Amino acid sequence: MTITRPPRLDAHARLRALTADITDLILDRGLLPGDAMPTEQELSAELGVGRNTLREAIKVLQALGVVEIRHGFGMFVADENLLALSDSLTFRGQMSLRHKGHEANELVDVRQALESGLVGSAISAITSDQLAKLEASVATMESLAANGQNFVDADKDFHRILFEPLNNQLLSNLLGVFWDVYRTIHQGIGVRDSTRAHLAETAHSHRELLDAVKARDKSLASELLSRHFDGIREQLAAINTDKD
């Protein structure tokens, strides 16, 4: 009689299974970001794996932003961060520029959908203090543009402040990731964004958007945010044309 045994998991599958076991343990115990986790010795005993195998799984979870190691203190559930997502999307965006920019276009689509779709809700909740911060950001852009200086930080601050009224930390982090990825793509396609004309145009587009927000004109603000991405779309379309 032949005994049929289930196929042995390969090393990659075993590692994935172990990382899933560790995340299940975190969830089952109700651990929160910043909470201490069991020691390596305790985890090895509870999960029935060797220390070296466990450490491989911990490295994977560190890279994914699930756990963090504080040397001299131990292992903890990581605070919320999207660094792994940011690194992955940045790589995909840069890689796609070598292949007609399809994925880069998709990333722009997602950022556009998030910002233009949510700006109405942000306008409903925005405060006078946040409007004042937006005004300061735009004034900084206009001042720097007049001197031919770039204003990447002020631009990023503007978009961050614009959606602060929603009080959604995950959204803020996600928008930050997409802003950084978008900026990397923008640089990767060689847009000359340090020319006075381009700087002035970009500052003016933010002034128009701020005026719409101040007027509580949700439809106009959404339309202006959608137009915000016309330039990079044209550049990505030019990549497609060049590679055909």
Side-chain angles (χ1 to χ4, degrees), residues 12-222:
H12 181 68
R14 289 197 301 272
L15 184 60
R16 289 193 63 181
L18 180 54
T19 58
D21 288 342
I22 296 171
T23 55
D24 285 345
L25 181 146
I26 293 171
L27 296 172
D28 291 343
R29 295 192 179 184
L31 299 180
L32 299 174
D35 285 349
M37 290 184 57
T39 65
E40 279 190 3
Q41 184 175 0
E42 291 169 338
L43 283 174
S44 292
E46 183 161 346
L47 299 174
V49 296
R51 296 282 285 274
N52 289 338
T53 302
L54 177 67
R55 285 170 183 167
E56 288 182 34
I58 294 299
K59 286 179 182 178
V60 172
L61 292 173
Q62 275 186 283
L64 293 174
V66 175
V67 303
E68 64 176 313
I69 304 298
R70 300 177 192 171
H71 296 292
F73 294 94
M75 183 163 50
F76 297 81
V77 180
D79 290 324
E80 179 183 297
N81 74 74
L82 300 177
L83 292 177
L85 177 62
S86 179
D87 290 344
S88 176
L89 292 180
T90 298
F91 171 74
R92 294 298 175 188
Q94 291 173 322
M95 179 66 75
S96 76
L97 297 181
R98 303 172 184 266
H99 305 284
K100 297 190 176 183
H102 177 68
E103 286 181 309
N105 254 314
E106 292 181 335
L107 291 168
V108 174
D109 286 345
V110 173
R111 184 186 167 198
Q112 179 184 16
L114 281 172
E115 295 205 24
S116 63
L118 292 171
V119 68
S121 298
I123 288 174
S124 294
I126 201 162
T127 65
S128 57
D129 181 56
Q130 288 160 338
L131 284 172
K133 290 178 181 178
L134 288 174
E135 176 65 43
S137 293
V138 173
T140 297
M141 293 184 207
E142 292 170 334
S143 176
L144 291 172
N147 292 314
Q149 295 176 270
N150 219 317
F151 45 77
V152 175
D153 291 338
D155 192 340
K156 185 175 183 179
D157 280 345
F158 179 91
H159 290 267
R160 175 183 57 79
I161 295 165
L162 180 59
F163 293 98
E164 269 186 359
L166 298 178
N167 197 29
N168 185 320
Q169 189 59 50
L170 177 59
L171 173 65
S172 296
N173 290 345
L174 189 58
L175 288 174
V177 167
F178 277 106
W179 197 97
D180 290 339
V181 173
Y182 170 88
R183 182 66 189 170
T184 301
I185 294 170
H186 204 265
Q187 293 170 330
I189 58 181
V191 177
R192 294 184 301 164
D193 56 1
S194 60
T195 63
R196 282 181 182 271
H198 181 87
L199 291 169
E201 181 182 348
T202 302
H204 179 66
S205 69
H206 285 84
R207 172 60 68 184
E208 287 184 320
L209 177 56
L210 175 57
D211 289 343
V213 172
K214 285 180 175 178
R216 310 282 175 171
D217 191 332
K218 298 178 182 180
S219 60
L220 178 57
S222 179

